[in-house]
Amino acid sequence: MPLGTQLFRFVATGGLSAVVDFGSWTLLTLLGVNVSLAKAVGFVLGTTTAYLINRRWTFKATHSARRLVAVFVLYLVTFFLNTGLTLLVFWAVQRYGPPELPQLGAQVIAFVIGQGAATTVNFLVQRLLIFRIR
């Protein structure tokens, strides 16, 4: 499949998965769940959504135990990248940002930065390595 088509599908899937991730994180924090735990749960729900859609639609790959292990390792790495960077930016914005910025504003800024970094790594590794595994 051409790079442009894969990239479009990956971004579309990522958009839906980001809604699942951010929506879960926001909802859980509104329900009083610790910000870090809520972010971790949101990431797991979002990346599970992304894997299931990307495997079938973006990369048109069949199920493979090797691929599943490779994706698990990738998502473990991107979990720490995404969650760590998101929380670091969130805390920095809350501490050093404008005092009138609401928590939701800090969450949006942090989410966009963390998600952007993790998405870039995720696409490159999946396209160049994981979905080339035979």
Side-chain angles (χ1 to χ4, degrees):
M1 180 178 308
L3 173 62
T5 302
Q6 276 187 333
L7 191 54
F8 171 79
R9 289 179 177 194
F10 191 84
V11 169
T13 299
L16 173 63
S17 301
V19 168
V20 171
D21 184 344
F22 186 77
S24 301
W25 182 33
T26 302
L27 178 63
L28 290 170
T29 57
L30 289 173
L31 293 173
V33 175
N34 173 278
V35 171
S36 298
L37 177 59
K39 177 58 188 135
V41 170
F43 178 86
V44 169
L45 294 175
T47 53
T48 300
T49 301
Y51 171 71
L52 294 173
I53 296 171
N54 278 325
R55 182 178 63 82
R56 301 283 287 160
W57 186 52
T58 304
F59 298 107
K60 296 203 178 274
T62 58
H63 175 70
S64 150
R66 287 181 64 200
R67 188 174 290 120
L68 185 61
V69 169
V71 166
F72 177 79
V73 170
L74 172 63
Y75 282 172
L76 188 60
V77 170
T78 58
F79 169 81
F80 288 108
L81 172 63
N82 181 314
T83 304
L85 186 57
T86 298
L87 292 173
L88 179 67
V89 172
F90 174 74
W91 290 322
V93 168
Q94 286 222 302
R95 181 173 180 132
Y96 302 109
E100 65 276 1
L101 182 69
Q103 178 175 318
L104 183 58
Q107 281 182 263
V108 169
I109 292 166
F111 185 83
V112 168
I113 292 171
Q115 188 70 30
T119 297
T120 301
V121 169
N122 207 345
F123 179 75
L124 291 172
V125 171
Q126 285 188 51
R127 176 168 169 77
L128 299 174
L129 298 174
I130 292 176
F131 287 101
R132 289 195 179 209
I133 295 174
R134 301 283 177 226

